[in-house]
Amino acid sequence: MAVTQRFVGQPVLRKEDPELITGQARFTENLTAPGMLWMAMVRSPFAHAHVRDVDASRARAMPGVVDVFTAKDLEDEWGGPLPFVWPVTEDIKVPIHWPLTGDKARYQGDAVAVVVAEGRAEAEDAAEAVEVDWDPIEAVVDMDEAATDRVLIHDDLGTNVVVHWSHGGAGDQTIFETADVVVKERYVQPRLIPNAIEPRACLAQPAPAMGEYTLISTTQIPHIARVTLGGTCNIAESKLRVIAPDVGGGFGSKLNVYAEEALSLVLARRLKRPVKWVEGRQENYLATIHGRGVIHDVELAATNEGRILGIRVKELADMGAYFQLLTPGIPELGAWVYMGPYDMQAYWYEFTGIVTNATPTDAYRGAGRPEATFVLERTVDALARRIGKDPAEVRRRSLVEKFLEARTAISGLNVDSGAYEETFDRALEIADYEALRRDQAERRQRADVKQLGIGLSTYIEMCGLAPSNILGALRYVAGGWDAAVVQCLPDGKVILKIGTSPHGQSHVTTWAQVAADELGVSPDDVEVLHGDTATAPLGMDTYGSRSVSVGLTALHYALQKIKDKARTLAAHELEVAEEDLELDRGRFTVRGAPDKARTIGDLAVSAWHAHDLPTGFEPNLEATAVWDPPNFTWPGGAHICVVEVDTETGATEIVRYIAVDDCGTVINPMIVDGQVHGGVAQGIAEALYEEAMYDEHGNLMTSSMTQYLIPAATEVPPFELDRTETPSTTNPLGVKGIGEAGTIASPPAVINAVIDAVAHLGVTNVEKPASPERVWRAIHGASTGGAPAAMPVSGTVDAPAASDGGAA
Ligand code: MCN
């Protein structure tokens, strides 16, 4: 019997959860292999230091130690340096990045040697006993200072300014000279440190006789890891299997190929034994990529009434000491969305990438697009203050009208569809904006200690990465397609093998929902296999909120192939023409004779025993589809944050958070809500708590959770969520991504709210994170005309109350 219930659009409970909540998940850390060795890294304590000598004799003599290897010892193992796949310009200068550095350390945490021992503790103890003769030299972590090239980080490049990319501009650039108002701002967005619940780990297993290797890794990208690590480690892709078992979150930090993965593979080959490595949390802070780390100069042109005319942006991006997989490509991901959901006439964007003596930066949830949205939405508020208008009125005036067919944005790319006014109006309605403004006015009137701030943020996002031809035009070396295999088994169950690699996003549930609806089964009948290049060999993995738009669409097409094949077989068995068959929820009936029927389950049995198949019909009900979309998908929405700021202490409390998002057709509303919750929590963290700080010698001052603040549940408010559904025109499901939307929209909503709360005291700027100290200084600096002599707390301090800039 076919199941008649529909699952798409329903809050189906997660199929993933039983194993996770009963302790039966298989994380890399839990895995072991006979004869397994452990690896520990010897990392530089200095941000910049020549390596004069590495003496491992004491470490080698320690109990359980198998060997110690330096860069020189492993020279012959490599097919090439660590992979870097996004040379954004022809003349980009690419720092060569070997898994171990031989000449000098270029950031604190750069690895100079690796110890292999029988146990983890032995390996880590011995790593501390490796004696390195360091010759520390001056380090540069400030981008402006690095750009002077006084201290070179890669001598062979001759400069620290390694890339300059310009969008080239669009529209009438004279607007920036002729507009009524041009607001000019500078925003500093600090580095962030990804904190997945599970730090990185890997286990390389060799099969020496066959020259085959299996790498189990906490990766988001098993397919990309296989092809790139094959190159780095001199292993044919056909001989390398990469498995991402259960992975405890990544947020972009595991969209990378790391030195430790490459080292574990070559050491497993060299020692003919499995080699495992598990990152410590402090190591995670030093040696896993950081996100953000950018400075923007922005000009926003507008009329006196607040009609936005154009945006011009120059960005400085801190690359860190080396390129990781995508490093200089991250600003480019934001390059196309600086106009946001506003109808503009002029656009200019360019960025300069600078290497510094700090951990490499790369993709962190949102990658480029949160940075862009922050710059735009902060500047729109600055415009509203300048012309004395309400920030809601200014936004409303410039929003692009609803469009259901693709429309070319001023930045040059085609936006699939959008209904920004609807999300914005709905958010204002939920918030009861007018009432909030009245409350704010009354508190100001009474000079309350706790002042109310209302922060608005609208956004559009370019996600669903995506069209291989556009990625090629942007000089990204791989494609953006994805794949799915559907196997209908004779027992009525279904197996999906998918090319995306979830690590918290619930693909097992949502992919099963879509298959269940198309095949007339329950999601419980659908098994979803992923994250293993041996079982799901085709795929481009999970990042850029691409999985639903690209991978799920591939599944949709594979399901259509299954239905076509099943129709042919049903027509044969029922002795009618294919056109005479009707299909509903996995059941074919003959038009006019509804009792004559075959379910897809029945047909899977016939296709399997293959006793009576139409001529030329391939046994088994199985299909593969690979989908390369014609466009990205472009979610959008509006967020409103309401805060109370204590003007005596500078402390901010978020009292309400409203998010109205549009990710097209929703497959599972509960999961979409969860993605927004997580994304907004990360954005709140970015706005109020998180900041990687280096001292002037390049020491990471925030190298543990005691100095790097991440919020707990008590710091995150209850969310008030709603949605509109404007189907994407990019794919037949109408879906757009949602995995990063919360992180993109929320930081400006929170910071705009903080500033709004104290704007009547003269505050126009508070940098991220808006710590109580920063807010306090902004208030008192603003009201007294200068920073106070002393504050009883320590930390990084901003100049008080930067101005909103001047008119052009
Ligand atoms: N979904 C849906 N309907 C839609 C869109 C999405 O039901 N119209 C649901 C689906 O269940 C899908 C999930 O939302 O499984 C996310 O889909 P999508 O937006 O396509 O994003 P991806 O699956 O490609 O996930 C990547 C995205 C990114 S880039 C980061 S970073 C991120 C994120 O997802 N990292 C995460 N969410 C995370 N969630 C967890 N728990 N852990 C991470 O590391």
Side-chain angles (χ1 to χ4, degrees):
M1 278 296 287
V3 174
T4 52
Q5 188 189 343
R6 288 203 171 268
F7 298 96
V8 169
Q10 300 301 317
V12 173
L13 292 182
R14 289 190 354 132
K15 282 165 68 72
E16 291 88 341
D17 281 341
E19 67 170 34
L20 288 169
I21 61 179
T22 56
Q24 289 172 51
R26 291 165 65 252
F27 294 99
T28 305
E29 221 277 351
N30 308 132
L31 303 177
T32 186
M36 189 175 84
L37 297 169
W38 282 82
M39 204 172 88
M41 309 296 287
V42 180
R43 299 189 186 279
S44 171
F46 299 105
H48 208 185
H50 290 291
V51 182
R52 296 288 175 225
D53 184 43
V54 181
D55 180 357
S57 48
R58 202 156 67 83
R60 277 201 185 90
M62 287 173 70
V65 173
V66 173
D67 210 340
V68 180
F69 301 91
T70 62
K72 194 158 181 20
D73 299 327
L74 297 176
E75 243 167 29
D76 298 338
E77 299 285 351
W78 306 118
L82 284 168
F84 160 62
V85 299
W86 203 342
V88 296
T89 61
E90 224 163 275
D91 61 355
I92 189 169
K93 296 188 167 57
V94 181
I96 300 301
H97 188 190
W98 294 103
L100 294 175
T101 185
D103 57 346
K104 66 174 178 173
R106 294 180 176 82
Y107 68 97
Q108 192 184 40
D110 208 356
V112 73
V114 57
V115 176
V116 183
E118 297 291 341
R120 182 176 182 181
E122 285 102 325
E124 289 179 357
D125 285 351
E128 285 180 20
V130 174
E131 286 160 28
V132 185
D133 181 4
W134 299 106
D135 178 9
I137 47 180
E138 189 181 349
V140 274
V141 284
D142 176 82
M143 278 194 275
D144 287 327
E145 174 61 24
T148 65
D149 288 337
R150 197 176 53 75
V151 175
L152 282 182
I153 294 161
H154 295 270
D155 296 322
D156 55 327
L157 298 183
T159 179
N160 298 324
V161 184
V162 286
V163 57
H164 179 81
W165 184 89
S166 171
H167 173 273
D172 177 9
Q173 298 294 319
T174 62
I175 273 177
F176 298 100
E177 276 72 56
T178 58
D180 294 343
V181 191
V182 179
V183 178
K184 298 182 182 181
E185 295 288 322
R186 167 168 266 227
Y187 298 117
V188 179
Q189 304 195 53
R191 283 168 168 256
L192 301 178
I193 303 180
N195 269 288
I197 290 177
E198 183 196 20
R200 290 187 294 121
C202 57
L203 167 58
Q205 291 176 272
M210 284 88 77
E212 289 174 0
Y213 300 87
T214 300
L215 179 73
I216 301 171
S217 174
T218 53
T219 182
Q220 295 175 222
I221 50 166
H223 297 92
I224 293 175
R226 178 177 59 167
V227 59
T228 54
L229 280 170
T232 296
C233 301
N234 241 333
I235 301 171
E237 207 188 332
S238 55
K239 297 282 188 189
L240 181 57
R241 173 182 180 186
V242 179
I243 302 174
D246 288 311
V247 176
F251 309 107
S253 69
K254 294 169 183 166
L255 157 54
N256 231 303
V257 177
Y258 285 98
E260 296 84 0
E261 291 168 307
L263 284 164
S264 68
L265 274 170
V266 301
L267 292 173
R269 175 169 60 202
R270 170 92 55 118
L271 301 168
K272 299 186 174 45
R273 287 173 68 179
V275 175
K276 181 170 174 176
W277 173 77
V278 175
E279 183 182 57
R281 182 63 69 178
Q282 215 160 1
E283 249 184 327
N284 168 73
Y285 278 47
L286 289 170
T288 292
I289 61 101
H290 292 178
R292 319 283 189 262
V294 292
I295 299 174
H296 286 83
D297 285 298
V298 54
E299 294 169 72
L300 191 74
T303 65
N304 281 328
E305 286 68 47
R307 176 78 179 80
I308 300 169
L309 300 174
I311 192 161
R312 189 149 69 176
V313 175
K314 292 185 180 175
E315 178 175 5
L316 282 185
D318 183 351
M319 309 275 95
Y322 301 98
F323 292 167
Q324 279 282 348
L325 197 64
L326 309 166
T327 303
I330 302 307
E332 212 179 307
L333 287 172
W336 314 96
V337 295
Y338 281 87
M339 72 290 165
Y342 307 115
D343 192 11
M344 294 193 194
Q345 298 163 31
Y347 195 85
W348 179 276
Y349 170 82
E350 63 182 73
F351 87 88
T352 305
I354 296 168
V355 290
T356 58
N357 287 118
T359 299
T361 55
D362 207 300
Y364 178 54
R365 199 170 191 173
R369 292 148 293 162
E371 294 90 314
T373 304
F374 185 79
V375 165
L376 172 63
E377 288 300 296
R378 287 281 322 267
T379 316
V380 172
D381 260 32
L383 167 67
R385 279 193 297 274
R386 168 80 76 78
I387 59 175
K389 301 241 182 255
D390 186 289
E393 185 192 333
V394 170
R395 287 182 171 81
R396 192 69 177 72
R397 200 180 283 274
S398 299
L399 288 175
V400 172
E401 282 178 14
K402 182 170 181 167
F403 57 104
L404 299 174
E405 294 300 324
R407 160 188 186 279
T408 305
I410 185 73
S411 65
L413 293 186
N414 265 336
V415 179
D416 54 357
S417 62
Y420 313 127
E421 293 169 326
E422 284 175 24
T423 50
F424 190 59
D425 291 346
R426 184 75 191 114
L428 294 176
E429 188 186 323
I430 296 172
D432 197 351
Y433 187 70
E434 299 305 326
L436 287 172
R437 286 285 172 213
R438 281 196 299 276
D439 184 3
Q440 181 183 54
E442 287 164 14
R443 291 191 197 209
R444 286 182 178 180
Q445 185 85 33
R446 293 192 301 263
D448 282 2
V449 170
K450 287 196 176 177
Q451 288 291 325
L452 196 74
I454 307 148
L456 308 178
S457 165
T458 62
Y459 73 98
I460 66 167
E461 179 190 350
M462 181 186 88
C463 68
L465 314 175
S468 300
N469 58 348
I470 297 187
L471 295 182
L474 298 177
R475 300 177 54 86
Y476 175 68
V477 303
W481 49 266
D482 223 290
V485 176
V486 180
Q487 292 177 317
C488 295
L489 305 181
D491 66 355
K493 308 290 182 196
V494 179
I495 289 181
L496 311 181
K497 297 175 181 175
I498 67 174
T500 59
S501 193
H503 42 283
Q505 293 90 348
S506 324
H507 297 177
V508 168
T509 306
T510 24
W511 269 238
Q513 283 176 257
V514 169
D517 274 10
E518 293 281 2
L519 302 177
V521 296
S522 154
D524 293 338
D525 296 325
V526 184
E527 221 42 62
V528 184
L529 307 181
H530 61 80
D532 180 346
T533 58
T535 49
L538 278 176
M540 286 289 181
D541 309 316
T542 288
Y543 44 85
S545 302
R546 68 186 299 275
S547 302
V548 160
S549 312
V550 191
L552 192 61
T553 306
L555 174 70
H556 168 82
Y557 282 115
L559 290 165
Q560 305 318 305
K561 287 187 183 176
I562 290 277
K563 291 195 302 188
D564 289 348
K565 205 173 166 188
R567 179 181 289 273
T568 304
L569 188 51
H572 174 74
E573 291 192 356
L574 297 168
E575 296 177 327
V576 294
E578 288 185 29
E579 308 76 70
D580 293 334
L581 289 174
E582 285 174 344
L583 173 64
D584 183 33
R585 300 287 293 118
R587 189 165 183 268
F588 289 98
T589 50
V590 176
R591 207 168 277 127
D595 290 344
K596 292 184 77 179
R598 287 286 187 282
T599 65
I600 289 183
D602 300 333
L603 298 163
V605 178
S606 312
W608 172 74
H609 62 53
H611 293 169
D612 176 21
L613 298 178
T615 315
F617 191 98
E618 259 182 31
N620 279 318
L621 206 46
E622 177 170 336
T624 300
V626 181
W627 161 250
D628 194 352
N631 194 359
F632 302 94
T633 63
W634 302 78
H639 288 207
I640 300 180
C641 179
V642 185
V643 299
E644 277 181 348
V645 173
D646 186 321
T647 51
E648 287 180 351
T649 64
T652 296
E653 188 187 346
I654 299 179
V655 290
R656 289 181 67 194
Y657 196 97
I658 296 112
V660 182
D661 298 287
D662 192 329
C663 59
T665 310
V666 168
I667 306 298
N668 186 320
M670 179 194 70
I671 292 169
V672 167
D673 283 356
Q675 287 292 312
V676 175
H677 289 176
V680 173
Q682 260 173 298
I684 289 173
E686 173 171 343
L688 296 183
Y689 304 102
E690 297 191 21
E691 176 179 24
M693 284 191 272
Y694 285 92
D695 70 10
E696 72 271 27
H697 305 297
N699 297 308
L700 182 63
M701 306 299 283
T702 50
S703 58
S704 82
M705 281 189 190
T706 51
Q707 302 103 350
Y708 186 88
L709 299 182
I710 57 172
T714 45
E715 274 83 42
V716 178
F719 298 114
E720 299 168 59
L721 306 187
D722 201 357
R723 263 188 295 279
T724 59
E725 286 194 26
T726 311
S728 172
T729 52
T730 302
N731 58 67
L733 297 170
V735 290
K736 304 180 180 187
I738 193 66
E740 295 158 291
T743 325
I744 292 169
S746 53
V750 178
I751 295 287
N752 281 344
V754 171
I755 296 170
D756 184 62
V758 289
H760 63 296
L761 304 175
V763 175
T764 56
N765 186 37
V766 180
E767 297 286 9
K768 287 186 289 188
S771 61
E773 179 184 353
R774 278 195 172 137
V775 177
W776 191 92
R777 284 188 185 277
I779 294 169
H780 292 271
S783 59
T784 60
M791 260 296 283
V793 281
S794 61
T796 307
V797 172
D798 276 354
S803 87
D804 265 352

